[in-house]
Amino acid sequence: MLPGPPNELQPMFREQVLPRLAALGLLLPREAYVQIRTAGIGESLLETKLQSIFDRAGHALSIAFCAHAGHVDCRLSSPSGGYSMQQIGEIAAECIHLLGEDFVCLGEDCLAKVCADLLRNQERRLALAETATSGQLANAFSDICGASKFFAGGCVCTTNDAVMQLLDVPECLLLQHGAASPEAAVAMATGAAERLGADYGMAVTGFAGPCGGPNENPVGTIYVALHAPHGVWSKKLSYPGPRTTIKRRAVNAALDWLRRELIRARPTPSEVQTQTRLMQ
């Protein structure tokens, strides 16, 4: 019998159970499955999108879906041994090609880690401005080792005075449109990027509850803005649920939007070859 509490179970499993299984030759050198992590697509739509590949694979392929906050995982395995790990990897590659930008990574990396790797690879830096998410977006990046290489910093602003002083947002803009508006979100994202010297800026503002705004902005209304080297845009989102759920979903939406924009901004192989020739 093993204890239930994770802080007791996990070290006991790592230090006692796994070594004994390894001594009996019951452990594989890697997972017996391939995990495809996706974002921006629901579980049922993901299954529908990949069904043609799974139909061709037949019953020897085992498929398991698991929905999390902000992403959905699809695990491919073959308990019967009908497919080797190499063959499962080939099926996963077909799925990845079909998914396009909905594909996040193979394995367990979170959205923030994937964004961080893209920023590092492109030698870009990110700055953040938050009201509705109270610094949770910044925390997602600062939790990653070596964050200073890609994360310039963030501002958490709960008053109009803070938005004006820290992000250089004009008072007239806030008076005309309000702090929870697409115009304010764009100005905040741009201000964060310019003030902190970053290539990308993101802002999240809105009403996470329980207090709401005017009729056009009820509880759950969130505005996310992205400032990039080639433009700035905003999105209006609407989420039901309690304050903590709305915050978490807003953070995940912002991370996924940034991830997709960074994927599109990656240089193509031909551009990389051109840059390499110019450097020689």
Side-chain angles (χ1 to χ4, degrees):
M1 298 293 291
L2 293 171
N7 62 332
E8 298 177 12
L9 169 64
Q10 291 172 4
M12 187 176 295
F13 190 81
R14 287 193 304 267
E15 297 167 13
Q16 297 294 329
V17 177
L18 287 179
R20 297 183 189 195
L21 292 174
L24 294 172
L26 299 176
L27 289 185
L28 296 174
R30 53 156 295 168
E31 295 91 348
Y33 59 85
V34 174
Q35 177 165 287
I36 302 170
R37 177 151 290 181
T38 70
I41 183 171
E43 182 178 353
S44 58
L45 183 57
L46 175 62
E47 183 175 4
T48 301
K49 197 169 186 178
L50 300 179
Q51 194 60 52
S52 61
I53 297 174
F54 299 153
D55 288 342
R56 291 199 310 272
H59 296 295
L61 182 71
S62 176
I63 304 108
F65 294 94
C66 187
H68 305 272
H71 63 268
V72 179
D73 293 335
C74 175
R75 287 187 176 183
L76 308 180
S77 62
S78 183
S80 66
Y83 285 104
S84 66
M85 287 305 299
Q86 180 179 344
Q87 290 172 316
I88 295 173
E90 291 169 356
I91 296 172
E94 286 187 67
C95 295
I96 292 168
H97 178 74
L98 191 59
L99 287 169
E101 290 183 2
D102 290 335
F103 168 71
V104 175
C105 66
L106 289 173
E108 303 285 343
D109 284 348
C110 63
L111 284 170
K113 174 64 164 56
V114 172
C115 289
D117 289 342
L118 288 166
L119 286 165
R120 267 192 286 240
N121 291 339
Q122 297 177 34
E123 298 183 341
R124 300 289 193 176
R125 300 180 79 210
L126 171 71
L128 301 172
E130 302 177 70
T131 61
T133 46
S134 309
Q136 290 186 16
L137 186 56
N139 184 69
F141 286 107
S142 60
D143 269 351
I144 299 169
C145 182
S148 61
K149 299 294 184 183
F150 60 86
F151 181 39
C155 299
V156 178
C157 305
T158 57
T159 66
N160 282 2
D161 286 341
V163 171
M164 291 186 292
Q165 293 171 14
L166 297 177
L167 301 171
D168 204 23
V169 176
E171 183 179 16
C172 60
L173 185 149
L174 297 175
L175 292 175
Q176 181 178 355
H177 300 286
S181 65
E183 293 83 2
V186 164
M188 290 167 61
T190 302
E194 291 178 350
R195 281 296 184 99
L196 296 173
D199 306 284
Y200 288 87
M202 290 206 81
V204 185
T205 184
F207 299 97
C211 301
N215 293 333
E216 65 271 18
N217 286 323
V219 170
T221 301
I222 299 292
Y223 294 96
V224 181
L226 174 62
H227 170 96
H230 50 284
V232 59
W233 312 267
S234 68
K235 287 183 179 180
K236 181 180 180 180
L237 309 171
S238 181
Y239 297 124
R243 183 179 178 87
T244 53
T245 299
I246 292 170
K247 284 184 174 184
R248 183 173 66 250
R249 294 186 69 178
V251 167
N252 289 331
L255 288 169
D256 192 39
W257 188 11
L258 176 63
R259 178 187 68 85
R260 291 169 186 268
E261 186 60 36
L262 290 169
I263 288 172
R264 298 184 191 116
R266 284 188 300 195
T268 63
S270 60
E271 289 174 335
V272 172
Q273 291 172 1
T274 301
Q275 292 171 4
T276 303
R277 286 198 299 268
L278 292 173
M279 293 173 61
Q280 289 175 346

